[in-house]
Structure formats: structure tokens, C-alpha cells
Amino acid sequence: MKYRGVLRLLKRDQKDVLKEDWAKGIDPNDSYYAQQYQLQYGAPFSGKPLAEVLREWKNCYGKDVKK
């Protein structure tokens, strides 16, 4: 949910990422890599400065975020 309003979910794959070749040597107890889904987010480049994008996001979705 932290990307809501800035990026869109483009792809969600359900897989065991620890079986991937790049995952050799990763601790299987590491909760980050033990996720069931691999999510891919993206959005068109708007050309706006990051500070402006963040300010717009806070106005729409960041009611609990300190300014």
C-alpha cells in the first residue's frame, strides 16, 4: 500500500523465490525473501521532481504521515 497513488501494480507472480538461482546462500528464515508473491510496480515517468510527487502523495494519502 505504500506505493498507492504513485505506482501501479503491474505484475504479481506467486512463486518460491528461494528456489531461484540468484537466491543461493540466502537464509531461508529471512522473511523478506520468504514472501509468497513477487510484486512488480511501475508508472510512466512524469518528469516531476521527487519532492513534488511526494507532496502530492501526502496531500492525497499521507494523513498519518508527519509533514
Side-chain angles (χ1 to χ4, degrees), residues 14-55:
Q14 186 172 7
K15 60 172 62 177
D16 185 353
V17 295
L18 292 175
K19 292 182 179 176
E20 300 288 331
D21 287 339
W22 56 262
K24 291 179 183 166
I26 293 176
D27 180 5
N29 295 319
D30 186 329
S31 63
Y32 178 81
Y33 291 103
Q35 300 296 320
Q36 186 176 8
Y37 294 98
Q38 185 177 27
L39 305 176
Q40 184 180 50
Y41 289 90
F45 180 66
S46 67
K48 296 179 183 178
L50 182 57
E52 185 177 338
V53 172
L54 181 59
R55 185 171 44 255

Side-chain angles (χ1 to χ4, degrees), residues 3-11 39-44:
Y3 302 117
R4 179 181 57 190
V6 177
L7 301 175
R8 293 192 177 136
L9 180 62
L10 301 176
K11 184 177 176 183
L39 305 176
Q40 184 180 50
Y41 289 90

